[in-house]
């Protein structure tokens, strides 16, 4: 995560263009405007406010952390633990995101959520250009010279592609200045106490045919990705 972002969010930049982006500066700060998880349509603490995200006592936020950070020549990986970033009323016991990037081409994201009560979990990914949905939970995004193919590898209840509308008014409580900032993919789970999203993203040049970018869940914890002549398990 980076400054002015939300815990667990990530960005993808490749071949000179943004592929997974966010909405940049807004008036009201919302998890929905980042590449993260919503719980019953609700984001992290103090959503919809301008500045007051971190009003809780600091020990509340010491539980938000990164683990297993690993950076090598061809592999980068990390785990984000951030259940404490959400309101206590949601009764979340787990919100964990594991990411591994191989050769700058293959990204796997494992999201695990658990709660004392059932929720609808929503996975969001933002882009400057609209994704094109294909059968079997696949979304292709092209931005200038870059392409990513996003494959949802676990069951979900619904998936949509929408323009992202943000509130840019910062100071007034009575005025509104909505503005479109790109598009987003929203993938929702059934209403469950616990849920897992496994998402594979293949990153490559725009001219590469979408059918050359594929991902398959071979078994729990085992994914095969293919990008042209390159493959990874």
């Amino acid at each position: 995560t980076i400054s002015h972002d939300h815990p667990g969010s990530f960005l993808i930049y490749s071949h000179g263009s943004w592929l997974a982006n966010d909405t940049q500066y807004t008036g009201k700060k919302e998890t929905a405007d980042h590449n993260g998880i919503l719980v019953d349509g609700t984001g992290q603490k103090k959503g919809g406010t301008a500045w007051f995200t971190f009003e809780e006592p600091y020990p509340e936020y010491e539980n938000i952390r990164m683990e297993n950070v690993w950076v090598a020549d061809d592999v980068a990986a990390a785990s984000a633990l951030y259940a404490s970033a959400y309101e206590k009323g949601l009764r979340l016991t787990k919100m964990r995101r594991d990411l591994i990037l191989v050769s700058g081409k293959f990204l796997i994201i494992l999201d695990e959520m658990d709660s004392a009560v059932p929720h609808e979990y929503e996975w969001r990914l933002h882009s400057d250009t609209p994704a094109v949905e294909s059968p079997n939970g696949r979304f292709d995004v092209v931005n200038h010279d870059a392409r990513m193919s996003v494959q949802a590898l676990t069951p979900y209840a619904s998936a949509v592609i929408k323009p992202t509308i943000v509130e840019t008014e910062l100071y007034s409580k009575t005025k509104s200045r909505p503005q479109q900032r790109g598009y987003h993919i929203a993938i929702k789970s059934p209403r469950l106490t616990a849920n897992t999203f496994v998402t594979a993203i293949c990153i490559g040049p725009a001219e590469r045919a979408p059918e050359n970018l594929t991902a398959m869940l071979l078994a729990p914890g085992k994914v095969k990705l293919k990008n042209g002549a390159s493959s990874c398990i």
Side-chain angles (χ1 to χ4, degrees), residues 84-220:
S84 294
Y86 293 80
E87 298 288 353
K88 292 180 181 178
L90 295 172
R91 301 174 67 187
L92 293 176
T93 56
K94 186 176 188 179
M95 181 65 75
R96 179 187 179 100
R97 168 165 279 178
D98 293 287
L99 305 99
I100 183 166
L101 175 68
V102 179
S103 300
K105 299 178 181 178
F106 307 112
L107 175 64
I108 295 291
I109 306 168
L110 170 63
D111 290 298
E112 298 173 290
M113 303 123 254
D114 204 350
S115 173
V117 294
H119 295 295
E120 177 190 75
Y121 300 101
E122 181 177 334
W123 188 95
R124 284 208 172 192
L125 181 68
H126 293 264
S127 56
D128 292 341
T129 58
V132 177
E133 185 176 5
S134 300
N136 303 320
R138 177 189 167 118
F139 303 86
D140 288 290
V141 175
V142 175
N143 192 17
H144 299 294
D145 295 330
R147 176 191 294 273
M148 69 175 174
S149 292
V150 181
Q151 183 81 45
L153 297 177
T154 42
Y156 55 85
S158 65
V160 296
I161 301 163
K162 289 184 176 181
T164 300
I165 308 299
V166 303
E167 177 56 67
T168 61
E169 174 56 49
L170 183 59
Y171 300 105
S172 174
K173 295 183 179 180
T174 59
K175 295 180 181 178
S176 177
R177 290 187 299 169
Q179 186 179 87
Q180 182 180 347
R181 299 273 181 88
Y183 302 83
H184 66 270
I185 303 166
I187 298 174
K188 294 183 179 182
S189 76
R191 194 166 185 83
L192 303 164
T193 54
N195 186 66
T196 298
F197 292 115
V198 179
T199 309
I201 300 179
C202 293
I203 302 162
E207 66 267 19
R208 179 153 291 162
E211 57 268 22
N212 289 330
L213 302 169
T214 60
M216 182 183 301
L217 185 63
L218 301 179

